[in-house]
């Protein structure tokens, strides 16, 4: 159906391509979606659908910002990345401001993703072996020791081979969790799913749901490397439909099984025997997924601060022979240690997801694409496109501010009460 319905592909102007950053493995973070249903009920399910629709739309308009008409009236690709779009919107007065804002947001999201992998690894191991005299912080330190070799990565060839294994492991884990939930279908608490929402904690759920869909920063690279770019819209439609169905069913089935006892990481609700097996698979998946966002964050930092020609803030961290200098390696190790310190002192999986989703997820998925679309294509937009863009920007802004404030309040409260995940 993609090939039948797709229009003719626009002509492309081949720009210079920067190295593309891989997408973060967001599959791990569906584990927090049942916690979102706990505080949102049916509205949480609606939000999973709504977020899929909006993210699909903003992904399409973001790609539309890569193209412009040339003198012959042909549509050509004149930009290559999210940063290029941001810079074009701020030109000519501030030609690099937009790109710096996007880079900062991207770095925050990627580093927070790394932190969440360490947090979830420590959490899962601690809850899998509660009888061992090892705290959650100690498990996080052990996980980070395993991840330290990531500082030596020069490219993603070494870890790309594990991508398929991570995906297969994720599906196996989901099947095991859903199979257990289905085995308890007779006891499902349908009466617990209501339209009532927890006003204080539901904004956190918004951030969790948004964070599970964030992928906009990688879409320009993805579309630019497709063999048939004309199928991009079709691909976006089907992938978001599939993600919406799978995430919605997983969240609902898991919440019906445990209702008010639903925990931040849903596998913590499983019986000890099953939990240990599932959690070990999850930890392996988290550890194998960590190098992807870590390397992407390092790539953005090096390109922005060390390799951006005469505008670089610091000298190049690579020598003339292409080898990483010792102080560059030290900075990479420091980034790994930083993710550990954050995981130790802020070990709250759902709250961190909500905070990141509200801070950078909403900005990169809702606010900036709609703003850039209005700025670059204003004269060509129909009235309903303008309405959608303005509505998404307003709703996204409200959700972002509200989710950020409540997630921050939740973290402060957790520190005050010394709550355990």
């Amino acid at each position: 159906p993609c090939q039948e319905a797709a229009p003719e592909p626009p002509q492309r102007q081949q720009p210079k391509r920067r190295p593309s950053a891989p997408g973060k493995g967001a599959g791990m973070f569906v584990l927090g979606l049942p916690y979102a249903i706990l505080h949102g009920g049916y509205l949480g399910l609606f939000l999973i659908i709504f977020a899929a629709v909006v993210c699909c739309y903003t992904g399409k308009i973001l790609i539309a910002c890569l193209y412009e008409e040339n003198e012959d009236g042909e549509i050509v690709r004149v930009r290559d990345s999210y940063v290029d779009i941001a810079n074009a919107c701020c030109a000519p007065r501030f030609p690099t401001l937009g790109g710096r804002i996007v880079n900062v947001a991207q770095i925050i999201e990627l580093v927070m993703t790394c932190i969440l992998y360490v947090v979830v690894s420590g959490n899962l191991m601690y809850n899998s072996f509660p009888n061992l005299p090892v705290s959650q912080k100690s498990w996080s330190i052990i996980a980070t020791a395993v991840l330290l070799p990531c500082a030596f990565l020069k490219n993603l060839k070494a870890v790309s081979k594990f991508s398929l294994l991570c995906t297969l492991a994720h599906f196996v884990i989901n099947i095991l969790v859903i199979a257990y939930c289905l085995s308890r279908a007779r006891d499902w608490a349908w009466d617990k799913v209501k339209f009532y929402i927890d006003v204080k904690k539901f904004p956190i759920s918004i951030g969790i749901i948004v964070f599970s869909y964030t992928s906009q920063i990688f879409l320009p690279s993805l579309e630019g490397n497709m063999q048939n770019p004309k199928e991009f819209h079709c691909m976006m439609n089907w992938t978001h439909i599939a993600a919406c169905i799978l995430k919605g069913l997983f969240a609902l089935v898991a919440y019906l099984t445990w209702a008010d006892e639903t925990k931040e990481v849903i596998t913590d609700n499983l019986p000890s025997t099953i939990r240990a097996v599932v959690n070990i698979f999850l930890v392996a998946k988290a550890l194998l997924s960590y190098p992807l966002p870590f390397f992407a964050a390092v790539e953005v930092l090096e390109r922005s601060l060390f390799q951006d020609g005469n505008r670089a803030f610091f000298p190049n961290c690579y020598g003339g022979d292409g080898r990483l200098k010792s102080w560059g390696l030290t900075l990479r190790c420091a980034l790994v240690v930083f993710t550990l310190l954050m995981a130790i002192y802020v070990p709250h999986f759902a709250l961190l997801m909500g905070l990141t989703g509200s801070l950078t997820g909403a900005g990169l998925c809702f606010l900036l694409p709609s703003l850039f679309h209005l700025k670059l294509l204003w004269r060509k937009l129909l009235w309903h496109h303008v309405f959608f863009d303005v509505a998404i920007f307003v709703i996204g802004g409200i959700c972002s501010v509200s989710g950020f404030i409540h997630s921050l309040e939740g973290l402060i409260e957790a520190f005050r009460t010394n709550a355990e995940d």
Side-chain angles (χ1 to χ4, degrees), residues 209-286:
I209 293 171
V210 170
F211 187 73
S212 71
Y213 280 107
T214 53
S215 62
Q216 265 69 357
I217 56 178
F218 309 111
L219 292 182
S221 176
L222 174 62
E223 192 264 354
N225 288 281
M226 290 179 67
Q227 291 184 352
N228 297 307
K230 63 183 180 180
E231 297 182 357
F232 177 81
H233 282 210
C234 185
M235 179 275 294
M236 289 290 289
N237 291 337
W238 284 107
T239 53
H240 280 79
I241 288 172
C244 176
I245 293 173
L246 293 174
K247 291 177 181 180
L249 288 176
F250 181 86
L252 179 61
V253 167
Y255 175 73
L256 289 174
T257 303
W258 289 287
D260 293 338
E261 297 179 0
T262 301
K263 297 182 179 180
E264 291 188 16
V265 183
I266 195 60
T267 55
D268 289 347
N269 289 105
L270 293 169
S272 57
T273 52
I274 301 177
R275 182 172 67 235
V277 175
V278 172
N279 284 357
I280 288 175
F281 275 99
L282 280 170
V283 170
K285 176 177 170 57

Side-chain angles (χ1 to χ4, degrees), residues 43-72:
L43 189 56
L45 287 174
F46 169 77
L47 190 60
I48 291 176
I49 300 173
F50 179 75
V53 173
V54 174
C55 287
C56 182
Y57 172 77
T58 57
K60 293 176 181 178
I61 64 175
L62 185 67
I63 295 303
C65 294
L66 297 173
Y67 294 87
E68 286 186 2
E69 282 189 12
N70 62 12
E71 296 177 353
D72 299 326

Side-chain angles (χ1 to χ4, degrees), residues 134 154 184 313 341 347 378 419:
V134 183
K154 291 185 177 180
R184 295 183 53 188
F313 292 94
L341 294 176
W378 171 260

Side-chain angles (χ1 to χ4, degrees), residues 41-252:
Y42 286 111
L43 189 56
L45 287 174
F46 169 77
L47 190 60
I48 291 176
I49 300 173
F50 179 75
V53 173
V54 174
C55 287
C56 182
Y57 172 77
T58 57
K60 293 176 181 178
I61 64 175
L62 185 67
I63 295 303
C65 294
L66 297 173
Y67 294 87
E68 286 186 2
E69 282 189 12
N70 62 12
E71 296 177 353
D72 299 326
E74 298 174 335
I75 303 298
V76 295
R77 199 175 200 258
V78 296
R79 303 178 187 96
D80 192 45
S81 66
Y82 207 139
V83 171
D84 292 339
I85 296 172
N87 285 334
C89 287
C90 294
R93 298 184 65 181
F94 306 101
T96 62
L97 177 61
R100 290 178 181 177
I101 293 174
V102 169
N103 274 336
V104 169
Q106 183 177 352
I107 290 170
I108 292 174
E109 181 162 321
L110 291 169
V111 172
M112 288 299 291
T113 302
C114 294
I115 294 169
L116 283 167
Y117 281 134
V118 178
V119 170
V120 77
S121 297
N123 180 291
L124 293 172
M125 293 302 294
Y126 177 72
N127 287 284
S128 299
F129 306 101
N131 296 325
L132 293 180
V134 183
S135 65
Q136 181 174 331
K137 294 180 180 180
S138 299
W139 282 119
S140 296
I141 294 173
I142 294 172
T144 306
V146 175
L147 296 171
L148 196 58
C150 292
F152 296 88
L153 285 175
K154 291 185 177 180
N155 54 61
L156 287 174
K157 291 182 180 179
V159 297
S160 61
K161 298 178 181 179
F162 299 106
S163 297
L164 178 60
L165 294 177
C166 288
T167 303
L168 293 175
H170 177 66
F171 278 107
V172 170
I173 292 163
N174 280 359
I175 290 173
L176 289 176
V177 174
I178 292 177
Y180 176 81
C181 294
L182 292 176
S183 69
R184 295 183 53 188
R186 294 181 179 180
D187 301 324
W188 281 358
W190 285 100
D191 58 316
K192 294 291 186 179
V193 187
K194 301 178 181 179
F195 286 98
Y196 168 80
I197 63 173
D198 187 330
V199 178
K200 185 177 181 180
K201 293 187 177 181
F202 182 65
I204 302 174
S205 302
I206 297 175
I208 293 173
I209 293 171
V210 170
F211 187 73
S212 71
Y213 280 107
T214 53
S215 62
Q216 265 69 357
I217 56 178
F218 309 111
L219 292 182
S221 176
L222 174 62
E223 192 264 354
N225 288 281
M226 290 179 67
Q227 291 184 352
N228 297 307
K230 63 183 180 180
E231 297 182 357
F232 177 81
H233 282 210
C234 185
M235 179 275 294
M236 289 290 289
N237 291 337
W238 284 107
T239 53
H240 280 79
I241 288 172
C244 176
I245 293 173
L246 293 174
K247 291 177 181 180
L249 288 176
F250 181 86
L252 179 61

